[in-house]
Amino acid sequence: MNTLAYIIGSVFAWSTAVVIIGLIVGFIARVKLRSRSEAEEKSDVRIKFACLICAHNEENVIHRPIRSLLASGYPADKRDIIVLADNCSDRTAEIAESFNGVIVKRKATASAGKGDVLAWGIDLIRNAGYDAIAVFDADNEIDGNWFDKMNSAFAQGASVVTGHRMSSNSFASLISSWYTIYWNLMNELSNRVRSSLGLSAMLTGTGFAFKTDALPEEGWRTRTFVEDLEFAFFSNMRGFRVVYVPDAVFYDEQPVSVRPMYRQLNRWATGGLQILRRYTWVWLKQLFKTPSFRLFDCFVVVALGLSGTMLLILNLAMLHWSFFAWFLAVGWASAILSTVLSRYPVRSLLLPILLFPIFCLVLSSTVLYSLIFPQRKWKPIIHGN
């Protein structure tokens, strides 16, 4: 038993070292590639966007994305704001219709999740002459240059692009601050580095856009709880990498208490496992047919949560010291490095950084929980808190 514990602990310790080295390499690459990733040329040609806002009973916040999109400097004739009112029983649709120029599509039947709503909405507008489709949630807001930055990325040949996600309530609670650090990590040590190296960034829920010709012939047909990650994964298999645009900043509201946090993380974990079940064999066949490090890396990102959870289970079973070393080292290193590189001063997030390993532990535990009790039904997070 001691020998087995030693072997497992050693493997875990080496894994910790590899991850920390990866974070350091990511930090160096992020600094070295800063000028390259931000050297975007402004395009004089403006493409036309269909801005889809998915909303289910969002009367408290639906005004946020609408006002934000209307206030952008992008020409009004080059962007339509379309609210997909998903089987709403409140005043979401009526409030959206009170804004001049906003198009409201009412879905009268129940939806299985956001992917279902997007499939319905995209089918309605796909042949309406739009060059690109942008996806937002009812709690999102954008910086004024979001459209111009996205437009420039498309002009340079991108087909799927994602913006820089920030929290609109970063300091509302310890939990929302943890999310802020998590998105810093995704922005600075994952999406920016991967995109600059010619790999694929990941889509993170909303604030992304894609050319209409990047859709498969059958349209938007995601089937998991993580439609964003699934679309990114499927796009890579079809040859379209996701390009990260660091100056296309958008904001969304984060959970502020334990229950909605765990519900959301459980949905993410369940969705990741759904992708592994649906696409692993398809991915392997594609990888052997046309070997690609980008495609390999894309799958690793999806599988990382499961592999980390397996190591968590083994170390908890053995009560090995490396379990504590892993979460402390990786949690602190990732939180500090990503915050240093972000738009937030480190001092504003000192306590959340110190306690960030707890968030990492909760994140891993949701994967374990989802293996045993997968989420059966998509459950929305209430906004406007």
Side-chain angles (χ1 to χ4, degrees), residues 47-201:
I47 66 173
K48 187 170 184 179
F49 287 87
C51 305
L52 303 184
I53 304 174
C54 300
H56 173 71
N57 290 342
E58 299 282 13
E59 63 181 7
N60 292 330
V61 294
I62 190 61
H63 63 279
R64 293 183 190 173
I66 293 176
R67 286 176 176 165
S68 178
L69 293 169
L70 287 174
S72 71
Y74 204 72
D77 63 334
K78 293 294 183 179
R79 53 109 183 98
D80 283 344
I81 302 171
I82 304 168
V83 174
L84 304 180
D86 174 30
N87 196 28
C88 296
S89 57
D90 65 357
R91 297 185 61 250
T92 297
E94 288 78 8
I95 292 173
E97 287 173 335
S98 70
F99 290 88
N100 291 331
V102 174
I103 302 168
V104 178
K105 304 289 186 180
R106 299 174 186 245
K107 188 174 185 293
T109 57
S111 301
K114 183 178 169 185
D116 192 18
V117 180
L118 283 174
W120 171 79
I122 289 173
D123 282 347
L124 293 178
I125 57 92
R126 186 177 181 184
N127 297 316
Y130 297 107
D131 300 299
I133 297 172
V135 178
F136 298 100
D137 271 350
D139 63 318
N140 289 163
E141 296 172 85
I142 63 168
D143 273 358
N145 64 353
W146 187 92
F147 283 108
D148 285 327
K149 294 299 180 180
M150 290 295 196
N151 184 72
S152 295
F154 285 131
Q156 294 175 54
S159 293
V160 186
V161 290
T162 185
H164 179 98
R165 184 172 186 167
M166 295 186 70
S167 303
S168 60
N169 59 336
S170 299
F171 309 107
S173 73
L174 175 63
I175 289 174
S176 67
S177 294
W178 278 341
Y179 272 94
T180 297
I181 295 171
Y182 177 79
W183 296 125
N184 287 344
L185 191 154
M186 289 297 298
N187 290 330
E188 307 300 341
L189 294 179
S190 178
N191 279 350
R192 189 190 292 261
V193 174
R194 283 188 162 88
S195 188
S196 297
L197 293 175
L199 301 174
S200 179

Side-chain angles (χ1 to χ4, degrees), residues 187-346:
N187 290 330
E188 307 300 341
L189 294 179
S190 178
N191 279 350
R192 189 190 292 261
V193 174
R194 283 188 162 88
S195 188
S196 297
L197 293 175
L199 301 174
S200 179
M202 287 291 108
L203 301 179
T204 57
T206 55
F208 66 89
F210 53 90
K211 299 290 287 293
T212 51
D213 57 16
L215 278 169
E217 189 173 322
E218 63 272 20
W220 182 285
R221 292 294 181 267
T222 56
R223 292 291 182 268
T224 69
F225 286 161
V226 285
E227 70 291 327
D228 50 347
L229 189 59
E230 184 180 358
F231 183 69
F233 187 78
F234 190 66
S235 295
N236 272 275
M237 293 186 63
R238 298 179 61 243
F240 301 111
R241 79 182 184 98
V242 179
V243 175
Y244 170 66
V245 185
D247 291 330
V249 178
F250 70 99
Y251 306 85
D252 74 335
E253 183 181 287
Q254 309 304 319
V256 296
S257 57
V258 172
R259 188 171 181 178
M261 175 187 71
Y262 205 82
R263 176 188 296 176
Q264 184 179 68
L265 296 182
N266 186 29
R267 187 177 73 216
W268 292 355
T270 300
L273 294 173
Q274 288 173 333
I275 289 179
L276 292 178
R277 284 195 295 267
R278 285 178 175 271
Y279 293 106
T280 296
W281 179 241
V282 178
W283 170 80
L284 283 172
K285 290 194 294 184
Q286 179 76 14
L287 189 65
F288 280 113
K289 182 180 178 180
T290 55
S292 163
F293 185 72
R294 186 181 74 207
L295 191 58
F296 173 79
D297 178 69
C298 184
F299 186 81
V300 168
V301 172
V302 178
L304 189 61
L306 181 60
S307 60
T309 301
M310 292 302 99
L311 290 171
L312 166 63
I313 294 171
L314 290 173
N315 276 260
L316 281 175
M318 296 297 178
L319 295 178
H320 200 272
W321 63 270
S322 57
F323 160 71
F324 302 101
W326 170 268
F327 277 96
L328 290 176
V330 174
W332 284 336
S334 59
I336 292 170
L337 290 180
S338 59
T339 304
V340 166
L341 293 168
S342 76
R343 302 166 189 244
Y344 295 88
V346 173

